[in-house]
Amino acid sequence: MTINIAIVPVAGLGTSVLPLTKSQPKEMLAVGRKPVVQYVVEELASNGIERILFITAQGKSSIAAHFDIDENLIQYLREKGRESNLVELDYERQNIEYFYTRQRRQLGLGHAVLCAEPLVGREPAVVALGDSIIGRHASSNIVSRMVDAYESEKADAVIALEPVPASHVDQYGIVDVHDENADYLRITGALEKPTIADAPTTLSIAARYVFSPAIYEALKDTSTDRNGNLQLTDAIAYLIDRGAKVVGIKLRPDVKRYDIGNFDSYFKTFLEFTLTDPIYGTEMQSYVRNCLKHQEEQD
Ligand code: UTP
């Protein structure tokens, strides 16, 4: 795989899940036995990514600490005879080099991606949102498929897409496409959080992208929205308007995007990952069944 660098923006304020995020990053919220951002990194590692550039911010230092190799903790576990816990730290030794830069003002996802330019330079790169897991337990190969498409289609950008109910289009970036049934969809337009009436399709942008360096010029030429945020979706629309080749790939039907940026989706993700946990899943299923039975008896 030729693209082996990913930009992971984790600098957002996470105001939609306050008070959880008052003093901890939303990307460090637990989903089952791991923080969200660990799933993102494991997914990227299993898709051939070897370098990760986090776009981080004030109050997010626990993310960098999570990926450090903690020799003191390892020694402590050994001394206490708790070697069995060491396997939980295996992720520290993944074949990944970590880099960090700061988005000093939260001016939107597009602005966060632009912060990568001085470091990533003229290389194409994957962008993976740090608050979204793709596939149950991060089991997706969408990034590899997107990189293949980027190369074989000689695309300027490749975007992961997931169909959403029409009533949800106003929560996502939504694309217009040439032929909804093609393997590689030619994207002809992109709108950030449209109304149901304005949405050209129900295909949402699903938190994974591959970009050529042209994205940085597009971001610099894109106007901010009415809240002063620079939207990545608007820069994609700008690229399309200037004739760039932007390709979409749908997540397979059995693969979901788990966005933990709002309580509804966070609770559902936590529940699903816990109920399917290889160690605790069976016990949790019977616990939830009992809770529901008890609830029904009381109603
Ligand atoms: P969101 O728009 O969902 O994150 O961005 P947010 O700004 O934290 O959301 P609110 O405050 O609840 O409305 C998706 C991803 O982009 C990053 C976030 O950290 C998240 O991983 N992001 C967003 C940035 O890095 N910088 C930004 O300025 C905005």
Side-chain angles (χ1 to χ4, degrees):
M1 183 154 115
T2 48
I3 300 178
N4 71 359
I5 186 161
I7 300 161
V8 180
V10 292
L13 296 173
T15 52
S16 306
V17 285
L18 278 169
L20 282 181
T21 47
K22 169 81 191 325
S23 62
Q24 66 179 331
K26 107 172 128 172
E27 297 78 8
M28 285 298 289
L29 292 180
V31 171
R33 287 184 285 134
K34 298 176 196 171
V36 173
V37 70
Q38 185 178 331
Y39 290 101
V40 175
V41 167
E42 288 176 350
E43 176 207 331
L44 293 172
S46 72
N47 279 268
I49 295 297
E50 294 171 358
R51 292 173 293 154
I52 290 181
L53 170 60
F54 283 107
I55 312 300
T56 176
Q58 201 173 24
K60 302 271 181 169
S61 54
S62 59
I63 295 174
H66 190 69
F67 294 101
D68 280 343
I69 295 180
D70 190 339
E71 297 292 0
N72 288 338
L73 179 57
I74 292 168
Q75 198 187 336
Y76 173 85
L77 292 172
R78 286 214 175 101
E79 280 169 11
K80 296 287 173 192
R82 290 173 55 186
E83 271 86 358
S84 59
N85 291 129
L86 286 172
V87 67
E88 302 302 341
L89 301 178
D90 279 354
Y91 75 91
E92 290 178 356
R93 295 177 190 277
Q94 290 178 111
N95 181 30
I96 299 268
E97 282 187 274
Y98 298 99
F99 303 87
Y100 300 88
T101 190
R102 309 261 285 197
Q103 184 188 24
R104 293 190 293 168
R105 287 191 298 158
Q106 277 54 68
L107 298 176
L109 175 59
H111 179 259
V113 171
L114 196 49
C115 293
E117 187 192 19
L119 294 151
V120 177
R122 307 315 296 163
E123 266 189 85
V126 169
V127 172
L129 304 195
D131 68 349
S132 295
I133 304 166
I134 309 293
R136 187 185 282 172
H137 303 294
S139 56
S140 153
N141 68 353
I142 187 73
V143 168
S144 304
R145 291 170 57 211
M146 292 167 74
V147 169
D148 289 347
Y150 179 85
E151 286 162 359
S152 67
E153 296 296 293
K154 298 194 177 7
D156 298 295
V158 181
I159 296 171
L161 301 173
E162 182 187 43
V164 291
S167 57
H168 290 188
V169 290
D170 58 355
Q171 298 170 24
Y172 298 101
I174 299 292
V175 297
D176 199 359
V177 294
H178 201 243
D179 169 9
E180 264 199 56
N181 297 316
D183 286 343
Y184 293 154
L185 291 81
R186 185 68 191 259
I187 297 182
T188 55
L191 281 176
E192 183 62 20
K193 300 188 175 72
T195 60
I196 299 180
D198 286 344
T201 67
T202 55
L203 290 173
S204 72
I205 299 178
R208 300 292 180 269
Y209 314 75
V210 180
F211 288 118
S212 78
I215 192 65
Y216 306 120
E217 299 315 315
L219 283 163
K220 285 174 210 167
D221 282 346
T222 298
S223 309
T224 53
D225 66 11
R226 58 193 156 83
N227 299 318
N229 288 325
L230 184 54
Q231 296 293 353
L232 188 55
T233 305
D234 292 342
I236 293 167
Y238 177 100
L239 280 177
I240 295 165
D241 286 349
R242 275 150 192 81
K245 185 171 186 185
V246 180
V247 170
I249 301 189
K250 282 193 220 166
L251 300 183
R252 296 197 205 286
D254 57 331
V255 174
K256 280 199 278 184
R257 172 251 299 267
Y258 301 89
D259 168 6
I260 55 86
N262 61 75
F263 281 116
D264 179 71
S265 176
Y266 176 46
F267 289 169
K268 285 176 180 161
T269 304
F270 193 99
L271 196 59
E272 184 172 329
F273 279 46
T274 310
L275 292 174
T276 56
D277 186 281
I279 298 174
Y280 298 96
T282 312
E283 169 60 23
M284 289 308 298
Q285 287 172 28
S286 81
Y287 181 77
V288 169
R289 260 188 229 109
N290 280 338
C291 283
L292 291 172
K293 205 167 132 217
H294 192 67
Q295 187 64 40
E296 276 165 20
E297 283 164 6
Q298 288 198 328
D299 287 346

